[in-house]
Amino acid sequence: MKYILVTGGVISGIGKGVIASSIGTILKHCGLHVTSIKIDPYINIDAGTFSPFEHGEVFVLDDGGEVDLDLGNYERFLDVTLHRANNITTGKIYQQVIECERRGDYLGKTVQVVPHITDAIQEWVENVAKVPVTEDGKEPEVCIIELGGTIGDIEGMPFVEAFRQFQFRVSPESFCCVHVSLVPQPKSTGESKTKPTQASVKELRGSGLSPDLIVCRSEMPIIDEVKQKISNFCHVKPDRVICIHDCTSTYRVPLMLEEQGLIQFISERLQLNIATPTRPKKFMWKWRDLADRHDNVRKVVEIALVGKYTQLEDAYASVTKALHHSALFVNRRLILSYIEATSLEEATKIENPVKYHQAWQILCRSEGVIVPGGFGKRGMEGKIAAVTWCRTTRKPFLGVCLGLQAAVIEFTRNVMNWKDANTTEIDPDTPYPVVIDMPEHNPGQMGGTMRLGKRTTIFHGDSIIKKLYGNVGAIDERHRHRYEVNPEFVDKIEKAGLHFVGRDESETRMEIMELPAATHPYFVATQYHPEYISRPLKPSPPYLGLLLAAVGKLQPYLNNAMSSNTTSEDGENSDEDIVGLLRRNISNSLILMDNF
């Protein structure tokens, strides 16, 4: 096993996650099996109880793990399936050590940070690194570890000490350290400042770790003289100082690293024998094509996101990525407009009419609307108002999690005339509790008590969303919710015209709702979170449907997909499933759609 530790200096949020993901992408294209670990030094057990304003989105894995959003980057870049153990926190480590102490595993010894905490960290890394993360079930050959925060943070010190020891626990050719640091370029002088990088490397070396490679993050490219200066003062060779300046998209980052000799460095440092004098012509061609199409697309599509946490864009990181994946597939540049849900409510019209009318103006000019997940009362009426507008104006709409619940409440209020219909999360005494908490929900325990992880959804009847998934009978998607549609009202709601076309295996939980195509071009909502498994080259079908409907290409796409996606006599899908269709026909589909 080869280990690559990625650390950060000067400031947080510098792009360590994208750098780590990009390194893994390059190694995967070299034929290696790669896994990733994200270390978060906070004391929380996991990210499940975080406020979106505090730490951005909570990403959910197949096994139900609620983890840092960087693991979403790893899965999207590497196209792997990670596990909850791939996210290490201080809370998890201390919990494990304390449980061992309570069982008497330490034989009465004094339990200390060194060696007990540091040993637990090293053992965790070694064990998780061996767990397969690809469909072929092969053990990874390279493990990329991102240490969250910045070097010098007090909460990260046990992890830094653990890896100081770890570099001697494994052979020298099995461990290397990549340090990502900021090189500021003040506009007043126009020159690159290296002192912050020198200071962060000094701090790292003082902790016992020496960087083998320094990745300099900057606004503009840095010149060779600056690289030479960093090389001299940070004790690395000049060719081991790499610059990653701000670029048009994150798809460019793996290409920039590869162009600056990353493969040669890693091959020599870790003795991987993957470097060749000339790379194959088609090496990373999919990424190159993806980056070029992202930069060259000219037509635009505007989507409005009506949410509760719009002040921080990272709160909807996976939603944003899924929309970008689908927009690129339909050959459009995405313009994503964030609307604070409360701004659409009547109370805002009285308190701040300018804000109210601006929000509605954005909603009305958009070509499609998405209402993503969330928790709590705030903004719910604004989301319902957005749903009403989409339904009555036939505007393409996608609801996710709470968005589905808002759509059900809106429909029962305004179509079925149940004016007091609501969710018990907001109004426990509503006479029409169309959305209720699930029986297994534990109101006294917040962390890890939701319906989490990958679950099966079975399609019922014919529907647009089923066609987008390739006409399969069932799908597996990831969930994160405490509330669900009340099964007691399902029959009445369906008789009124809103169809639940996807249900769980027990057929008591509503997973997908849809208005018929004759009623609305695209009015779909899912209880699960389809954005979690969207990939750059494999867009999520519900999101793809929204973008296709927004640009007026949904029906031609479905007709084309259905003619290509034949089924066998027993109704089971043939080899031409939707994933294969997207991967093999993406370029042709883009050209075809622009010709319709």
Side-chain angles (χ1 to χ4, degrees), residues 558-570:
L558 291 177
N559 293 339
N560 182 49
M562 291 302 293
S563 63
S564 300
N565 189 21
T566 56
T567 55
S568 59
E569 291 181 1
D570 61 2

Side-chain angles (χ1 to χ4, degrees), residues 15 82 134 182 187 197 316 390 408 413-414 446 513 551 563 570:
L82 299 176
T134 51
L182 176 68
K187 287 183 170 59
T197 296
Y316 299 107
C390 290
V408 171
R413 284 182 183 179
N414 298 324
M446 297 298 291
M513 53 135 277
V551 299
S563 63
D570 61 2

